[in-house]
Amino acid sequence: MKKGDIIELAKKMIAAPSCCAPLKKIGQEWLDAVGTAGEKEAAQKLIAELEGDVTDIDSLVAFAHSETAAKIFGEGAKGFAAHADELKASGAKFCDCGACAPGLQILQNKSLILD
């Protein structure tokens, strides 16, 4: 993986409907800082935010079966919960949503943007 791949992952992550507002903001700040003197500091902020936002599988399953998820997803909540359960059963360790999946890849390759 190269830094350009991380840039594309960040763009994909912040475009995802499941990306929370703070991560969208910090992700965009890093993208805007690439190639500038502020890039490393922005990368550190991005990594710190990702470490708190990429959802582990147990947290995903708990959320998927919560009343909050039922309110957010309505009729789709049962399908969401089933998907979370299937992910866990398959051995997944993290959420596979449009924000978490690229966010996890960024975390796994963080040395490319921190060094």
Side-chain angles (χ1 to χ4, degrees):
M1 187 168 285
K2 297 180 181 180
K3 186 175 177 181
D5 298 321
I6 301 294
I7 291 169
E8 292 308 310
L9 287 168
K11 289 177 182 178
K12 183 177 179 183
M13 176 187 71
I14 65 174
S18 56
C19 189
C20 67
L23 183 55
K24 280 185 188 285
K25 180 180 182 287
I26 291 170
Q28 187 61 56
E29 287 172 359
W30 176 73
L31 288 169
D32 293 343
V34 170
T36 72
E39 181 177 354
K40 187 171 183 176
E41 182 181 342
Q44 291 168 337
K45 288 180 182 178
L46 175 61
I47 296 304
E49 186 69 25
L50 284 169
E51 287 172 343
D53 288 352
V54 173
T55 305
D56 67 86
I57 195 66
D58 290 329
S59 296
L60 176 67
V61 169
F63 171 68
H65 289 277
S66 72
E67 287 185 31
T68 302
K71 289 177 185 174
I72 292 170
F73 297 109
E75 292 295 317
K78 288 181 183 178
F80 175 55
H83 175 72
D85 292 340
E86 289 169 9
L87 270 180
K88 184 172 181 167
S90 74
K93 303 291 183 208
F94 295 94
C95 176
D96 67 345
C97 77
C100 286
L104 180 60
Q105 286 185 284
I106 293 169
L107 281 175
Q108 292 169 334
N109 293 280
K110 65 185 175 184
S111 65
L112 295 172
I113 63 172
L114 290 176
D115 294 338

